Amino acid sequence: MDISSGVIAGFQVALQPNHLFFAFVGVLLGTVVGVLPGLGPVATMSLLLPVTLSVSPISAIIMLAGIYYGSQYGGSTTSILVNIPGEASSVITCVDGHMMARNGRAGPALGIAAFGSFIAGTLGVIGLTFIAPPLAELALKFGPPEYFALMVAGLSLISFLASGPFWKALFMASLGIFLSTIGVDNMTGTTRFTFGILELMDGVGFVPVVMGLFGIGEVLINLEQPMAVSMLKTEIKGVLPDLKDWADSIRPIFRGTILGFLLGILPGGGAVISSFLSYAVEKKISKHPEKFGTGVIEGVAAPESANNSATAGAFVPLLTLGIPSNPVMAMLLGALMIHGVQPGPLFLKEHPEIFWGTITSMYIGNLMLLVLNLPLIPLWVRFLKIPYRFLFPMILLIVLLGAYSMNNSVAEVIITIFFGIIGYLCRKFKYDLPPLILAMILGPMMESALRRSLLGSGGDPMIFLTRPISLVLLMIPLFIFSSSIVPWLRKRKKLLPAEKFD
Amino acid sequence: MKINNDQASSAVGLLIGALIVIHSFVYEIGSMSAPGVGFMPLLAGMGIILFTLIGLGKASVQSLKGIWWDPLWKGMKWERIVIALFALFLYALLLKILGFILTTILFIGFLLRVLEHQRWRVAITWAVLSALSFYVVFEVWLKSQLPAGVLGI
C-alpha cells in the first residue's frame, strides 16, 4: 500500500462515526487534563487504560493519542492565565504568555497558542505520514541484535535526560527490567519471582503499576502540600491574533514545528525539551532578545508549536520500530499490546488500518482541537476553579475501579495501592519514574532479543559489535556514559530541562 | 552516624538488588550460548547493585562534605497521606463485602469529611452522587462487573 492509498484508507477508518467519537473524547479529555495542573497525560492515559479494553484497538489508540496531543493544547491555557503550567511542556510558555496576559493581551496569547499548535500539529502529522512508511521498510532489516542495541540506546537516552542523577535513572531502569521478568517466561514457560501468588503468574500488570505510580502517587504528593491556584483577574477578549501578531509569529511557528518534530523522533526527546529549545532559538536569533520575558508573542508561538509537532514526531519510532520514545508512547504501546497488537516494522503490513487510521485521526483531531479551543477557552478557565479537594477522591476512585475491573480482583487493587506508595516515595526521594515505565515495557522485548542474539551467535557477545547498525546504536549509550566523565557534556545536560510527564 | 537521603535510599536499593541476584540463582542461569530463565533477572539485579553502589559512593562523599538528612516530611501534612492510605486499603478490604455502592459512599464521604473537613451534608451528597455516577458509567455503560455486596446491586 503506497502512501496516498494508505492515507485514503486511513481517512475511511478515522471518519467512521465511532472513531470520530473516540477522537473527540480523546482531544476533549486531553484538553481538560492539560488545563488542570496536577493531572498529566500519562496519569490520565493510565486511568483510562482499563476503559479501552472494552473497545477495539483502533478506537483505543485514537482516543489515547488524542489525550496526548490534546493535553499539549490545553497546557498553554494555565500557563498564560495563571502562570502555572498545566503540562511540563508549557513551562516556558509561562514566561511570555503570562506577561502578555498581565499586559492585557491574554486573548492573542491564547489565540496564537491554539493556531500555532494547530499548524504545528498538522505539519507534524504530515511529516509522520511521509517518514513512517520508509522507516518501517528499513526496520525490516533489523534482527535481534539491532533490536537489543536500539532498546539499550533508548533506555540510556531516557535515563540521561531524567531530571535526577544518572545513577538513580539507571537504577529505576534496572528495576523496571526486573519487574518485567516477573511471571511466566515467554521462551520456556517457567514461572519466575511469583512466590506462589496467582495474580503474579501473568506478570506484574502494566496497568496497576502505572495507575499506582502516576495516579495514586501523584494524589499523595498533592495531598501533603495542597495546591493554591489564583486566577488572573483579567477579561479575555479578541482571541484572534491581528496581522502584526501573525507577522511576528509565523516564522517562529514554522521553526518550532521543524525543531519539535525532529526532537520528538529521538528517544528521550519530546515535547518538553523541544519547547525549551525552540524558545532559546527564537531568543537567540531575535532582533530584540531583551524583550523576551516581557510578553512577546514569539515566546508563545514557538514553544507551543514545538511541543505539538513533537507529539507527532514521537509516533515515528513507536509505529515503525515498536520503540516508545517517551512514557506517553510507552503507555500507547502498552495499550496496543493489551489488545494483542505489536507495533514495529511489521505493524504497517499486518495492521494497515490501525497504522493509517491512527495517523489520519490525528489530522481530524487537530482540527477538532482548533474548533474546540478557541470558543471554549472561557470554559477551560472554569475547570481551573474545580477545587482539588473534590477532584482527588474522583481520581482515586477511577484508579481503584480501573484496577479492580481489569480482572475483577481485589489483589490488583492492592498491587495498585502498593505501587502508589512506591510512586510517592520515588517522588520524595527524587527517583524519576519514566525510566522504570519504559524499561518495564521494553523489558520482555529486550530479554527476548538478547537471548535470541546470544543463542544465534553461540554465546559470542561480539555479535552486537560486528553488525553495523547495532554498533552505531550501541555507540549512543557509550557516548552517554562517557558524558559522566567529560565536563563539557555534563554541563550540557544541566542546561537541558528535565522531561517530566506526570 | 548521620546519613543522608541518598545513602538511605541507595542502601534500600542495594538490598533489593542483592535479593534479586540471590533469588535469580533459584532459576536456571544457563550459559552465554544458552541463557536460562534466571539470566535476565540476574543482569537486572546486578545492574541495580552497580548503580546503587555508585549512588552510595556519591552520597557518602556528600555526607563527608556535610550534606546530611533532608527532612522530607518537615512542614508537610504527612498525616493526610496516612489517612488517605488507610482509606485506600480499607476500600480494597471492604469492596467485596459491602459492595461497590456502599463502599464508595463510605470512601468518598470519609475523605471529604475527615481529610477535607467538609460539612456532613456536602460530604454525603458528593459521596452519594459520585457512587451513583460511577455505577452508571462502569456497571451500566462499560459493563464492568462491580461487586454487589450486601445491597445486592
Side-chain angles (χ1 to χ4, degrees):
Chain A
M1 191 184 283
D2 61 17
I3 290 175
S4 55
S5 47
V7 171
I8 293 167
F11 272 114
Q12 283 169 349
V13 173
L15 286 170
Q16 285 172 18
N18 59 330
H19 295 150
L20 283 175
F21 170 75
F22 281 106
F24 178 75
V25 171
V27 295
L28 191 71
L29 279 174
T31 310
V32 173
V33 302
V35 168
L36 291 172
L39 190 64
V42 177
T44 310
M45 287 162 85
S46 66
L47 298 181
L48 287 172
L49 273 184
V51 175
T52 63
L53 288 177
S54 54
V55 300
S56 67
I58 177 73
S59 301
I61 194 168
I62 282 176
M63 183 176 76
L64 293 174
I67 291 174
Y68 183 32
Y69 57 83
S71 67
Q72 305 303 321
Y73 274 74
S76 59
T77 307
T78 44
S79 293
I80 292 166
L81 295 179
V82 204
N83 204 21
I84 293 175
E87 294 308 317
S89 56
S90 296
V91 168
I92 199 72
T93 308
C94 287
V95 180
D96 279 283
H98 188 62
M99 283 311 288
M100 280 181 76
R102 293 183 81 90
N103 297 338
R105 300 195 72 226
L110 290 164
I112 207 69
F115 278 114
S117 298
F118 171 73
I119 295 168
T122 310
L123 290 177
V125 177
I126 292 172
L128 171 64
T129 309
F130 286 96
I131 287 178
L135 199 63
E137 286 287 325
L138 179 75
L140 285 171
K141 292 179 182 146
F142 277 33
E146 285 78 15
Y147 262 102
F148 179 73
L150 182 68
M151 285 181 267
V152 170
L155 268 181
S156 308
L157 267 167
I158 286 279
S159 303
F160 178 65
L161 293 169
S163 60
F166 197 25
W167 67 267
K168 282 188 178 178
L170 286 172
F171 161 76
M172 293 299 276
S174 304
L175 192 63
I177 291 173
F178 164 69
L179 288 174
S180 76
T181 64
I182 295 174
V184 179
D185 171 41
N186 286 336
M187 288 175 84
T188 61
T190 315
T191 53
R192 295 180 288 195
F193 294 92
T194 55
F195 305 106
I197 301 168
L198 203 64
E199 280 75 12
L200 292 179
M201 289 285 279
D202 288 335
V204 180
F206 178 65
V207 175
V209 172
V210 291
M211 291 205 334
L213 291 177
F214 290 98
I216 295 180
E218 190 70 29
V219 167
L220 293 179
I221 278 288
N222 288 335
L223 277 181
E224 67 174 17
Q225 205 173 28
M227 282 185 288
V229 177
S230 61
M231 287 292 296
L232 182 74
K233 300 277 184 290
T234 180
E235 197 184 334
I236 302 160
K237 50 188 176 186
V239 290
L240 292 177
D242 60 24
L243 277 178
K244 186 181 180 309
D245 290 332
W246 275 113
D248 291 339
S249 305
I250 198 71
R251 284 189 187 88
I253 286 174
F254 283 116
R255 280 192 288 265
T257 301
I258 295 165
L259 193 68
F261 184 76
L262 295 176
L263 284 169
I265 294 174
L266 296 176
V272 184
I273 291 171
S274 61
S275 63
F276 274 86
L277 280 185
S278 66
Y279 184 87
V281 166
E282 288 310 318
K283 193 175 175 183
K284 186 90 181 160
I285 63 172
S286 171
K287 287 174 188 160
H288 47 79
E290 72 287 351
K291 285 187 182 169
F292 274 73
T294 61
V296 291
I297 201 159
E298 301 96 300
V300 178
E304 282 304 312
S305 307
N307 66 27
N308 269 273
S309 66
T311 61
F315 275 88
V316 174
L318 178 76
L319 297 180
T320 57
L321 303 169
I323 303 293
S325 58
N326 63 48
V328 181
M329 290 297 119
M331 210 66 79
L332 281 173
L333 178 63
L336 284 170
M337 285 167 78
I338 288 170
H339 282 277
V341 177
Q342 175 71 55
L346 295 172
F347 183 52
L348 175 58
K349 279 198 168 65
E350 289 174 353
H351 303 282
E353 75 292 351
I354 301 181
F355 184 93
W356 289 110
T358 305
I359 291 177
T360 48
S361 79
M362 289 163 72
Y363 286 105
I364 299 163
N366 274 295
L367 194 64
M368 282 178 181
L369 278 166
L370 186 68
V371 176
L372 269 179
N373 269 276
L374 287 179
L376 294 184
I377 282 169
L379 179 71
W380 304 139
V381 173
R382 278 190 200 167
F383 269 99
L384 282 168
K385 293 177 182 169
I386 299 176
Y388 194 71
R389 60 179 176 274
F390 289 114
L391 201 61
F392 87 86
M394 302 297 109
I395 297 172
L396 289 180
L397 195 56
I398 294 171
V399 170
L400 295 170
L401 281 183
Y404 178 82
S405 56
M406 286 293 292
N407 292 312
N408 291 340
S409 158
V410 170
E412 300 272 7
V413 178
I414 292 168
I415 291 172
T416 307
I417 300 170
F418 172 75
F419 275 98
I421 299 170
I422 301 283
Y424 168 73
L425 289 174
C426 283
R427 284 170 171 86
K428 292 298 283 185
F429 284 90
K430 298 188 170 65
Y431 283 78
D432 258 20
L433 296 171
L436 184 141
I437 295 295
L438 234 77
M440 220 185 135
I441 282 279
L442 295 178
M445 290 185 269
M446 264 181 97
E447 182 178 10
S448 167
L450 175 66
R451 284 163 73 178
R452 280 173 205 276
S453 303
L454 290 174
L455 275 169
S457 68
D460 183 7
M462 288 305 285
I463 191 170
F464 298 109
L465 304 178
T466 50
R467 295 168 70 122
I469 299 175
S470 163
L471 177 67
V472 170
L473 289 167
L474 284 176
M475 292 301 282
I476 297 170
L478 190 72
F479 179 73
I480 289 169
F481 283 119
S482 66
S483 75
S484 59
I485 44 173
V486 180
W488 175 81
L489 282 165
R490 255 206 321 260
K491 203 174 158 192
R492 282 285 312 150
K493 192 200 165 188
K494 279 180 188 165
L495 291 175
L496 289 171
E499 275 277 10
K500 283 190 187 296
F501 294 89
D502 44 336
Chain B
M1 194 184 94
K2 287 178 179 176
I3 60 164
N4 60 33
N5 303 42
D6 281 353
Q7 277 177 309
S9 65
S10 51
V12 173
L14 195 61
L15 183 69
I16 294 169
L19 288 174
I20 293 169
V21 167
I22 292 166
H23 202 79
S24 296
F25 285 98
V26 171
Y27 310 104
E28 191 196 352
I29 301 294
S31 61
M32 282 295 276
S33 55
V37 289
F39 190 74
M40 199 65 179
L42 178 71
L43 285 186
M46 283 164 58
I48 290 174
I49 290 175
L50 173 70
F51 299 124
T52 48
L53 278 176
I54 294 171
L56 203 58
K58 286 194 164 189
S60 299
V61 171
Q62 286 180 330
S63 176
L64 289 173
K65 287 179 185 170
I67 299 172
W68 294 318
W69 181 263
D70 174 23
L72 298 174
W73 284 272
K74 193 181 174 187
M76 299 289 170
K77 297 181 175 175
W78 58 268
E79 64 281 1
R80 286 163 62 87
I81 309 292
V82 178
I83 294 169
L85 284 174
F86 171 75
L88 285 166
F89 279 113
L90 206 63
Y91 188 88
L93 204 72
L94 295 178
L95 187 61
K96 287 238 169 174
I97 303 165
L98 296 181
F100 167 74
I101 292 182
L102 218 52
T103 318
T104 303
I105 291 173
L106 287 173
F107 176 69
I108 303 280
F110 175 82
L111 289 177
L112 289 176
R113 178 70 199 158
V114 178
L115 215 55
E116 298 298 338
H117 309 296
Q118 294 296 305
R119 281 177 295 174
W120 278 110
R121 193 165 55 86
V122 176
I124 292 170
T125 311
W126 191 255
V128 172
L129 284 176
S130 306
L132 292 177
S133 325
F134 275 81
Y135 181 82
V136 170
V137 172
F138 276 82
E139 181 76 31
V140 180
W141 186 41
L142 295 172
K143 308 278 181 221
S144 303
Q145 290 172 322
L146 300 174
V150 288
L151 289 181
I153 51 167

